Amino acid sequence: MADVKLSNIKKSYGDTPVLHGIDLDIKHGEFVVLVGASGCGKSTLLRLIAGLEDISSGELHIGDQQVNALAPAQRGIAMVFQSYALYPHMTVFKNMSYGLKIAGKGKDFIDAKVREAARILHIDHLLERLPRELSGGQRQRVAIGRAIVRDPNVFLFDEPLSNLDAALRVKTRVEIGKLHKELGATIIYVTHDQVEAMTLGDKIVVMNQGRVEQCGSPLELYQHPATRFVGGFIGSPKMNFIDGKVAALGGDHIEIQLSNGCRSRACVEAGDLKVGDPVTLGVRPEHIDERSDAGTMLSGDVTLVERLGEASFIYLTLSDGTEIVVRGSGESTVTTSEHIKVSFAPHNAHVFDSNDRALRRLKAGNVHSTAELAQLKAVGQEAF
Amino acid sequence: MSQPSSIQRRFPWHILFFLAPGLLIYVTFSVYPLLDTLWLGLFQEDETGQRFFAGISNYKTLLLDAAWSEPFWNALWNNTKFFLIHMLVQNPIGLFLAALLSSPRLRLSNTYRTLIFMPTMLSVVIIGFVWQLLLSPIWGISEGFLYSIGLGQYFDAWLGKESSALITLALISVWQFVGIPMMLIYAAMLSIPDDLIDASVVDGSSAWQTFWHVKLPLILPTIGMVSILTFVANFNAFELIYAVKGALAGPNFSTDIMGTLFYRTFFGFQLQSGSITMGAAVATLMFLIILVGVMLYLFVVQRRMKRFQL
Ligand SMILES: Nc1ncnc2c1ncn2[C@@H]1O[C@H](COP(=O)(O)OP(=O)(O)O)[C@@H](O)[C@H]1O
Ligand SMILES: [Mg+2]
């Protein structure tokens, strides 16, 4: 019905290019999250889709229509702003009905629409209040309500949760997810928070400096980051990176000589790598084991231990000065300045070439099969 | 139990101590002269210059004796017209210019702002002199200018005619001071968040609808403040009339306003001898008129107008 298609969209402010050619296909009903560091052009892209900024070059289609030159109101979109942008002098009812009134809709129609949206969002009792008489969460709902009443094909959200406190953020996040199911509309959602992105998105678009780094489902991004940037961006704490050189090429793996002197095996496709090429090994903190026998062994000095209860984040400095983080168990007894040995399995390693492109992983994801988990457990018990 | 209450009963001298400097200055330079003026208006002088208490007889003379009341009502009515012209011309133009200036598409907006504000920084005496030269039927350039654009037959000695002198002076004053409402309203418009305007654009409202439904309600408090400032300034006006028309506010008192009336009454002019006590009575009436105006604004208008947190 209303697919959104971006073809080579570019945007410059004066001589400063901000977006360098964005291609994106969004299917009707999809929940797409644009995520990236602050200043990478997410808001700009959203504003281009909304029609609040002119597209410098490229084509934007919503539905079957090329909408580059259409005014925002004619694009069938609605936008929820980070600051909510509620009209401070209008009651909640008037805030929500303003767009319909401008469009010349009848009084009864407007009334029905607004009450319907208010019911969905549980703000029926607030309709006569002014925005300043509402809490942050309620304002957020009104802002969403103002979008819903217009029956848009595409909802645009620009960091809608960043003005809420932590508890409310989680709650509202869940509700936005439910709302998406209920409305069945396309949602394009901007955030810099990767947890929001992972939990909400059917599809995540990771942006970096005005370019799309990678686009895919949450698990795809987690298991198969296409670039070093995505590897570091998705996941918390960040993926650890250790420099190294290709030492040997096997059939289903390569061997890497790491900068700290260790030799590691990684289950990736070698592509056109040759022995001696510089590469970066990436491994997530949650894939490094406090035991020393899971595969590649690393040893280093503990500089800090963060105890979260369910887990401990152990900060290690390797012999060559590389710093890594290990997600240890909550009961870990490791203490600062201790020298410890940790290890990770070859199938959990990511490898990035000198252009920061990832090599295709061969066994990623399989590790979560129950059989393998059981096997891993058995190995663990043996070790103790 | 008796301890705290005895502490409470002690007089808070330190508060008085800290208030004293400001209070002293305020009383000496504001309250005392005002009260003295009010008081002076209740006296009269005999031929020898001896003052005696005369109750409200000065006011009776001013409001009821035709020789005094005619100039008084004339000045008050002229002053009201002067004010209305400012309200109807200066403030709408100021609002319009502010709206143009705050448009993000306008280039050189800082230059325009400075240029429009420039006359406000000039002395009223210079403004009066310049406009007198411009509009003079003898050496003025405006007649030639109007002829050159084909409107010559509309030229008239506007400043010299009873029917048009006051309006012309009011428009000169508007020209000079339009920068002030423009600046105040412009500042208020800048404080409206961009998101709000974007939201209304997404809601489908045109530039005009956005202005009318979103911007205007949000700057209403500023417009109210501009109005009351205009009111106070207009009822205290004097310099422009005096610079262009002298204290007689000609022709035939058609440009006489409260300020010039007060000047003639207090200092005297040509055949009229000055009277300090009568002058004080006129000053008191001016004060009361402004006071009533400001009170009406504060208690009737401003109460209904809510400031919105943006
Ligand atoms: N109106 C503008 N004029 C010039 N540069 C802008 C403008 N808006 C944004 N930018 C620049 O574009 C880049 C991307 O901004 P933005 O899209 O807001 O980033 P994000 O939302 O991802 O944090 C930033 O470097 C910012 O400085
Ligand atoms: Mg942003």
Side-chain angles (χ1 to χ4, degrees), chain B residues 79-93:
Chain B
N79 216 150
T80 309
K81 281 195 270 187
F82 194 69
F83 168 61
L84 289 179
I85 291 172
H86 278 82
M87 281 302 285
L88 295 178
V89 181
Q90 173 186 273
N91 296 346
I93 292 180

Side-chain angles (χ1 to χ4, degrees), chain A residues 47 52 72-73 77-79 81-83 85-90 95 98-99 101-102 130 132 139 146 150, chain B residues 105 193 195-206 209-210 213-215 217-218 306-310:
Chain A
R47 292 169 62 82
L52 289 169
I77 52 108
M79 186 153 171
F81 294 83
Q82 178 175 357
S83 62
L86 300 179
Y87 310 120
H89 57 293
M90 297 186 196
N95 259 288
Y98 181 67
K101 213 178 95 192
I102 292 288
L130 286 171
R132 66 165 163 209
R139 285 179 204 184
R146 188 168 65 179
R150 305 188 52 229
Chain B
R105 283 169 204 259
D195 273 1
L196 222 50
I197 308 304
D198 287 342
S200 78
V201 171
V202 171
D203 268 342
S205 74
S206 63
Q209 284 168 324
T210 300
H213 293 298
V214 179
K215 288 187 186 171
L218 293 177
K306 292 172 215 143
R307 276 197 179 272
F308 298 102
Q309 118 200 26
L310 293 174

Side-chain angles (χ1 to χ4, degrees), chain A residues 13 18 37-44 53 159:
Chain A
Y13 288 110
V18 174
S38 187
C40 69
K42 311 177 295 282
S43 298
T44 305
E53 304 272 354
E159 310 216 10

Side-chain angles (χ1 to χ4, degrees), chain B residues 1 36 48 52-53 109 117 128 151 170 172 190 207 262 265 278:
Chain B
M1 282 307 276
D36 197 40
T48 62
F52 59 89
F53 188 79
S109 68
F117 198 67
L151 296 172
I172 293 174
L190 285 189
F262 166 76
T265 313
M278 204 62 184

